[in-house]
Amino acid sequence: MERLGLGLPKKAIYKQFIPKNEFYRHSEFKKADQRAFIKGIERITLYSQLTRENTNVAEYKDEERHYREISIIIVELRDKAFMDNIANLIMTSIPYPMLLIGIYGEEIVFYTAHHRENKADKNRTVLGYIYNTGFMEMDSPFIEDISYENLNKQNFYTLYDSYVQAILDYNLEKRNIKSFENREEIFKEVNRIEEEIAEFRSRLKSEKHFNKQMDLNIEIKRLEKKLKDLEG
C-alpha cells in the first residue's frame, strides 16, 4: 500500500483495518458470497476517507444524488479470480461513492460506480454501472492519471467523476476506441459483446455436434467483427 501513491492529502489517509465479517454479518450475503470473501480476501483496509474537513471540497446535492464524502478502500487478495464478485458485494453494501482497489502481488485493479438516491427508501442508494480497469501493473501510468492533483475538485461529484471518467478513458484507449461521443454507451456495448463472445467460446468447448459447433463459430466471428468495427 505504501507504493500506491495516489497523491491524497495526508490528513485524509486512515489505513483502518475492516474485518471481513463486517460485510456479511450485516448484509444479505449468500454462502457463495461469504466464500468469495473468505477464499479471495487477505485484508480489507479503509485507506482514505475524503471529506469536506480534510479536503475543503464542497458537498454536492441534486435531485438524484448527495455526495458528502468519498471512501478509498483497498482489498488485498489471496485469489484474484474472486475480485469482480467481491467488488460488486462491497460496492452494493456501502451506500456512498468509493474508489475500490484490489491488489494481488504486483498487480492492481480499480473500481468505481456512481450512486443515486433510492426514492422509495431514503436510507438506501441505487448503485450504477460498475467500471473497472482490469488488473494492471503497479507502476502503470494510469495511477499517475488519477493522482489527487489531477482531479476536478469543484465538488465531491466532480471529484468522484474524475475517477470514473479516468477508468472509462483507460478502457477505451486500451481497446483502441478513439470516439469521445457516447463513450459510456460504447464501453458498455463493448463489454456486452466481449461477454457474449466468452459465453459462446465456453459453449463451443463442450459442444459435441459438428453443426452446432459451426453455428457457434459463425456467431463468434460475427461478434468479433462487430467488436472490431467499434474499435475502428
Side-chain angles (χ1 to χ4, degrees):
M1 289 194 299
E2 301 300 332
R3 297 171 296 163
L4 199 52
L6 297 176
L8 301 169
K10 289 184 179 179
K11 57 186 176 181
I13 295 176
Y14 289 1
K15 298 184 183 178
Q16 178 182 337
F17 170 69
I18 305 173
K20 289 184 279 188
N21 64 7
E22 283 295 313
F23 287 94
Y24 51 79
R25 188 170 65 187
H26 300 296
S27 302
E28 297 176 358
F29 273 32
K30 299 175 183 177
K31 287 186 177 179
D33 298 334
Q34 290 189 31
R35 180 175 175 270
F37 267 60
I38 294 166
K39 296 282 189 181
I41 298 174
E42 182 66 38
R43 180 187 296 268
I44 304 174
T45 304
L46 175 59
Y47 182 73
S48 175
Q49 191 84 3
L50 301 173
T51 66
R52 177 65 186 266
E53 289 72 25
N54 59 38
T55 63
N56 204 32
V57 174
E59 291 186 12
Y60 176 84
K61 185 173 176 59
D62 62 19
E63 292 182 356
E64 290 194 330
R65 298 182 174 90
H66 190 180
Y67 282 16
R68 304 176 181 87
E69 59 188 29
I70 297 170
S71 294
I72 297 177
I73 293 177
I74 294 177
V75 179
E76 295 171 77
L77 296 160
R78 293 175 179 168
D79 186 342
K80 70 177 185 178
F82 291 98
M83 187 61 216
D84 282 346
N85 188 26
I86 289 166
N88 183 66
L89 292 167
I90 291 177
M91 299 181 86
T92 302
S93 300
I94 297 177
Y96 46 83
M98 77 172 71
L99 176 65
L100 183 64
I101 303 168
I103 295 177
Y104 181 75
E106 295 298 314
E107 296 179 281
I108 189 167
V109 58
F110 297 85
Y111 293 81
T112 57
H114 277 297
H115 283 256
R116 58 184 174 83
E117 292 185 356
N118 187 327
K119 300 298 183 183
D121 184 350
K122 294 297 184 182
N123 296 318
R124 300 172 70 92
T125 61
V126 178
L127 185 68
Y129 191 92
I130 298 177
Y131 295 94
N132 77 82
T133 58
F135 280 93
M136 62 178 71
E137 297 299 316
M138 288 289 291
D139 60 353
S140 169
F142 173 80
I143 298 174
E144 176 61 29
D145 292 343
I146 60 168
S147 180
Y148 186 75
E149 64 182 9
N150 297 326
L151 308 179
N152 183 338
K153 294 179 279 293
Q154 179 180 345
N155 56 58
F156 273 117
Y157 179 82
T158 63
L159 177 58
Y160 188 69
D161 195 55
S162 294
Y163 288 127
V164 174
Q165 297 303 319
I167 290 176
L168 181 59
D169 289 346
Y170 174 81
N171 278 286
L172 293 177
E173 289 171 11
K174 186 169 63 174
R175 291 170 169 85
N176 198 35
I177 296 172
K178 306 298 185 184
S179 173
F180 283 90
E181 295 182 6
N182 303 316
R183 289 154 60 246
E184 294 185 23
E185 288 77 9
I186 291 172
F187 174 71
K188 290 174 185 177
E189 177 69 0
V190 167
N191 272 2
R192 187 190 64 77
I193 293 170
E194 289 179 340
E195 287 170 3
E196 283 192 60
I197 290 171
E199 181 185 345
F200 282 127
R201 283 177 176 161
S202 177
R203 287 170 55 186
L204 184 61
K205 288 179 182 178
S206 57
E207 182 57 62
K208 304 299 182 184
H209 295 89
F210 178 74
N211 287 343
K212 290 183 179 179
Q213 289 176 348
M214 290 294 293
D215 289 342
L216 288 169
N217 269 314
I218 290 170
E219 193 62 25
I220 289 169
K221 294 297 183 187
R222 182 187 70 80
L223 290 168
E224 286 177 339
K225 182 181 184 305
K226 190 173 181 181
L227 188 62
K228 191 171 183 179
D229 289 344
L230 280 173
E231 292 175 346

